[in-house]
Amino acid sequence: MTYTPPRFVTGLTCFICGTTYPYGNIFTCPECGIDGILDVQYDYDSIGKRITPNSLALRGLNHWRYEELLPISSDSVIPHLHIGWTPVYDIPRLAKAVGVQKLFLKDEGRNPTSSFKDRASSIGVLKAAEFGFETIACASTGNAASSLAGLSAAVGLKSYIFVPERAPEPKVTQLLIFGATVLKVQGTYENAFDLCREGCEKFGWYNRNSGTNPFLVEGKKTAGLEIAEQCAAAMPDWVVVSVGDGCTIGGIGKGLQEMKMLGLIDRVPRLLGVQAEGARPIVDAFVSGQDLVPTDTNTIADSIAVGTPRNWRRALWQIEQTHGEMIAVSDEQILEAMRITARLGGVFGEPAGVTGMAGLQLAVERKIIRSHETALVIVTGNGLKDIHSAKQAAGTAISIAPTLDALAKALDTRSKTGA
Ligand SMILES: *Cc1c(COP(=O)(O)O)cnc(C)c1O
Ligand SMILES: [Zn+2]
């Protein structure tokens, strides 16, 4: 079947040299190479006539409600899974513990495969179909892979996922249950990444790999569009997000900016980007003002353990646009954030999922964020994805004999030790 091009997309502009290319199946600027990530441009004048508070009020509560602002063809068959419009919770107890006026959590663990990545994969599978691919591939053991496997199953695409040999069993199982072909590459993640790219070229698969696919960021953008609508009555001073490749924060920033451009909000919140101490190349580039220097990684927040981020320029640009900040947190602070997010907020995030919360706490301690200010933290992934780390944060159960006596003794000990 042939697809009509997305109606409101006007072109793809290189983030480095500014050249605009016509819409099509390209990833990066031919002149600038791998760094020349393309940014999707839209006809905002026409979109502004269609996306209004009144028209939005009539639309479905999922991320397809912004169809004019997405690079998708009107012929695309939208996956049936519920993507986006994740809840925003106002949690006074958590605000008080952290020391801000108001604290909101947006729970991305509520997406179909339990992470933010579903926003991007849902666009990726539509692009694959539109450009005539029957198979889509990626290299990852993390949320990008499980999300791609789930969304591919939903739309009937074949998926090939390349994982390094040492990929944890639970994550490999999540891929297999969705029917993905999982290839365990005898080597490192880099070996898996390279083999996937070569496989895509040789066998004609669509590549969902990197931060370099310009259409995936547009999917991530919808979280920013949603925040604008969900918080219109009380826009937070800060939006806080964990950062790996930089696509998530870049997309959210773009979405918020677009909503301001369309007149749906009058102010864009400041962005706080948070990395783990053990994987902080973008924080270092933010501080130094120099080009990014790749690093080794060592953190429990595996979903943001990225030593060579692809989309750091966009992340930094988007943060600077809002006079935002960046900060790095330790694994200890991430585990503490996992506890308080769950115990005071009732939301269970994976380590990278609560890294934003850890960053907010540290930013308040350092007076980057003040006690009279308000913040929205995006919890990017569900805690059940990484039980091993959660166990480090959670403590242990009390083992007792099945008698009231034993119960009373255990409760007594507990109240004395506070354990
Ligand atoms: C991928 C991911 C991120 C970071 O997104 P980037 O685009 O790599 O910056 C944060 N949290 C979770 C749970 C993720 O899976
Ligand atoms: Zn270029």
Side-chain angles (χ1 to χ4, degrees):
M1 102 173 243
T2 53
Y3 286 78
T4 40
R7 184 160 156 208
F8 298 97
V9 172
T10 57
L12 307 170
T13 299
C14 171
F15 212 77
I16 294 180
C17 72
T19 308
T20 298
Y21 300 91
Y23 170 78
N25 180 25
I26 50 170
F27 274 24
T28 49
C29 173
E31 296 300 318
C32 300
I34 187 84
D35 272 350
I37 294 182
L38 299 173
D39 184 39
V40 183
Q41 308 291 312
Y42 297 86
D43 172 4
Y44 290 109
D45 287 340
S46 302
I47 292 174
K49 299 196 181 90
R50 295 170 56 113
I51 292 197
T52 63
N54 284 342
S55 73
L56 287 174
L58 302 172
R59 298 186 182 190
L61 295 177
N62 55 62
H63 89 157
W64 308 110
R65 66 197 268 102
Y66 309 110
E67 61 177 322
E68 293 91 341
L69 288 166
L70 291 172
I72 55 173
S73 165
S74 55
D75 305 315
S76 291
V77 180
I78 301 298
H80 61 264
L81 297 174
H82 180 102
I83 318 268
W85 204 261
T86 52
V88 171
Y89 303 123
D90 177 355
I91 309 178
R93 283 212 299 160
L94 206 47
K96 191 157 171 244
V98 171
V100 289
Q101 186 69 34
K102 255 184 185 303
L103 201 164
F104 304 93
L105 292 184
K106 186 164 174 64
D107 183 8
E108 289 296 311
R110 296 279 296 264
N111 281 301
T113 74
S114 308
S115 87
F116 196 98
K117 293 287 191 295
D118 289 333
R119 295 179 184 272
S121 292
S122 65
I123 304 291
V125 294
L126 293 188
K127 299 323 284 177
E130 176 187 332
F131 295 136
F133 293 86
E134 282 165 11
T135 302
I136 187 165
C138 89
S140 159
T141 62
N143 294 328
S146 47
S147 162
L148 180 65
L151 267 298
S152 297
V155 301
L157 273 178
K158 279 209 279 288
S159 60
Y160 282 71
I161 310 228
F162 293 77
V163 304
E165 197 170 25
R166 286 177 42 214
E169 215 42 46
K171 295 196 169 179
V172 174
T173 308
Q174 198 187 6
L175 303 173
L176 291 167
I177 198 68
F178 286 126
T181 303
V182 181
L183 298 144
K184 262 195 190 185
V185 180
Q186 291 157 16
T188 62
Y189 175 71
E190 278 65 35
N191 298 137
F193 188 94
D194 290 340
L195 185 60
C196 176
R197 188 170 37 76
E198 287 161 23
C200 285
E201 278 164 25
K202 168 99 180 158
F203 300 108
W205 306 328
Y206 190 64
N207 192 343
R208 184 247 185 265
N209 251 347
S210 51
T212 59
N213 181 324
F215 304 115
L216 299 179
V217 177
E218 299 301 301
K220 294 188 163 186
K221 178 177 90 176
T222 58
L225 301 172
E226 287 174 19
I227 291 168
E229 276 199 272
Q230 291 174 308
C231 301
M235 192 53 75
D237 297 309
W238 293 85
V239 167
V240 186
V241 199
S242 53
V243 177
D245 264 315
C247 303
T248 301
I249 197 164
I252 288 170
K254 182 175 182 182
L256 287 164
Q257 229 174 10
E258 286 181 336
M259 289 304 243
K260 174 151 187 291
M261 210 176 342
L262 295 172
L264 276 89
I265 53 174
D266 52 21
R267 178 173 64 83
V268 171
R270 296 172 74 183
L271 293 175
L272 175 67
V274 188
Q275 293 204 289
E277 281 291 356
R280 49 172 292 167
I282 304 187
V283 174
D284 290 339
F286 177 83
V287 172
S288 71
Q290 309 285 310
D291 273 8
L292 181 128
V293 181
T295 60
D296 289 338
T297 63
N298 179 19
T299 169
I300 53 164
D302 63 307
S303 304
I304 52 168
V306 184
T308 311
R310 311 282 160 177
N311 221 347
W312 61 274
R313 282 179 213 277
R314 149 144 253 153
L316 291 182
W317 184 79
Q318 215 72 65
I319 290 167
E320 279 155 19
Q321 288 289 300
T322 70
H323 310 288
E325 289 283 348
M326 285 206 80
I327 202 167
V329 294
S330 67
D331 282 3
E332 219 21 77
Q333 287 165 329
I334 291 171
L335 289 174
E336 171 60 14
M338 190 184 278
R339 280 187 290 266
I340 70 161
T341 309
R343 291 175 187 183
L344 301 176
V347 176
F348 180 18
E350 67 169 294
V354 298
T355 298
M357 178 61 89
L360 174 64
Q361 284 190 283
L362 189 60
V364 171
E365 260 172 58
R366 294 200 182 150
K367 302 203 175 356
I368 294 167
I369 296 182
R370 300 297 186 135
S371 58
H372 64 269
E373 292 189 293
T374 61
L376 179 145
V377 176
I378 302 187
V379 179
T380 48
N382 185 286
L384 285 173
K385 290 206 169 239
D386 181 2
I387 279 301
H388 178 73
S389 295
K391 276 161 112 174
Q392 291 180 52
T396 48
I398 306 164
S399 175
I400 56 165
T403 66
L404 249 185
D405 217 26
L407 175 59
K409 266 202 195 107
L411 295 179
D412 192 43
T413 314
R414 188 174 192 275
S415 67
K416 276 185 193 134
T417 61

